[in-house]
Amino acid sequence: QQQVKQSPQSLIVQKGGISIINCAYENTAFDYFPWYQQFPGKGPALLIAIRPDVSEKKEGRFTISFNKSAKQFSLHIMDSQPGDSATYFCAATGPPGTYKYIFGTGTRLKVLA
Amino acid sequence: GAGVSQSPRYKVAKRGQDVALRCDPISGHVSLFWYQQALGQGPEFLTYFQNEAQLDKSGLPSDRFFAERPEGSVSTLKIQRTQQEDSAVYLCASSFIIDSYEQYFGPGTRLTVT
């Protein structure tokens, strides 16, 4: 019940295309869902996050779509660029008072120039 | 410094040796987390501090793992009698206020046990 399932494992997108990464969870007590970007040899960097009281959040080219009833959320990267090539992790945490993240297994994104 | 720093960045230990990994969180950050990231996997929670209090150590894989944060700032993760399965990247993250979910990660320490 603590798992967060992430797909696909890897993704290749043409420059300018849309990258979509999906995550699913079981624990309905989760109430915060961040996405992290990780480059080789670096720590994960927070990209964008959402709470379950909204269905979508957009920051620049990055959008989270959240479906509470389906217990799924996804990251959309619009106008994907070669510099976006990295590994992306979804995560979940909650309820309040619980702060540890449960991470997905990661998606390795490659954007072709 | 501007971000979370960790040292050493790389550590090679012979099986059975003890190691100590250091984390300097962002100044003023109350909460501190340790995660273990195996190759090709997502980070897995190890332990959590709020100031100097260790509030959750449910992710520590065995009693060979020990973490401390005696003055509520710098933290050390110690692994005794290292085993090959301990080889991983150890990530530290910090968070500004108690009720904030946003965690900021350091670059990690890559531990290789030979």
Side-chain angles (χ1 to χ4, degrees):
Chain A
Q1 195 178 18
Q2 286 293 316
Q3 278 188 321
V4 176
K5 296 183 179 179
Q6 184 171 347
S7 63
Q9 193 171 21
S10 62
L11 182 60
I12 299 175
V13 172
Q14 293 288 337
K15 179 182 175 181
I18 302 173
S19 304
I20 301 174
I21 305 170
N22 302 298
C23 284
Y25 64 97
E26 289 295 323
N27 188 349
T28 55
F30 287 151
D31 66 352
Y32 180 79
F33 302 87
W35 284 91
Y36 280 81
Q37 178 190 58
Q38 187 174 31
F39 293 103
K42 306 290 186 184
L46 179 62
L47 264 182
I48 186 172
I50 199 168
R51 300 242 184 186
D53 53 345
V54 298
S55 60
E56 186 175 280
K57 183 175 180 181
K58 184 176 180 178
E59 289 184 3
R61 296 185 295 110
F62 300 94
T63 299
I64 299 179
S65 296
F66 188 84
N67 186 329
K68 188 174 181 178
S69 61
K71 292 184 284 188
Q72 295 176 347
F73 59 110
S74 59
L75 176 69
H76 296 232
I77 305 174
M78 312 300 286
D79 186 28
S80 298
Q81 299 297 312
D84 297 330
S85 298
T87 300
Y88 292 81
F89 293 97
C90 62
T93 189
T98 302
Y99 301 104
K100 64 184 180 185
Y101 285 172
I102 308 297
F103 280 90
T105 50
T107 296
R108 184 172 291 186
L109 171 65
K110 185 177 177 69
V111 181
L112 302 176
Chain B
V4 178
S5 61
Q6 293 185 244
S7 60
R9 292 294 317 279
Y10 303 92
K11 177 70 178 176
V12 179
K14 290 189 190 301
R15 190 171 56 182
Q17 282 185 333
D18 297 349
V19 298
L21 313 180
R22 177 187 169 106
C23 172
D24 282 86
I26 295 171
S27 178
H29 277 203
V30 170
S31 300
L32 185 144
F33 303 80
W34 284 98
Y35 291 84
Q36 180 190 60
Q37 186 174 25
L39 189 63
Q41 299 297 315
E44 292 194 358
F45 171 80
L46 293 176
T47 188
Y48 159 60
F49 290 85
Q50 195 177 100
N51 296 304
E52 69 278 3
Q54 188 175 20
L55 297 188
D56 187 343
K57 53 183 181 179
S58 62
L60 296 176
S62 77
D63 59 7
R64 296 186 296 104
F65 287 71
F66 171 77
E68 60 183 4
R69 193 185 185 199
E71 297 178 359
S73 56
V74 170
S75 177
T76 304
L77 177 67
K78 297 179 180 178
I79 308 174
Q80 297 177 323
R81 304 181 303 282
T82 51
Q83 304 294 314
Q84 282 194 314
E85 61 263 28
D86 300 335
S87 296
V89 174
Y90 290 86
L91 294 164
C92 176
S94 68
S95 182
F96 180 48
I97 58 176
I98 292 171
D99 291 334
S100 171
Y101 280 137
E102 293 183 2
Q103 295 182 22
Y104 297 91
F105 282 81
T109 295
R110 180 177 295 278
L111 172 65
T112 303
V113 181
T114 61

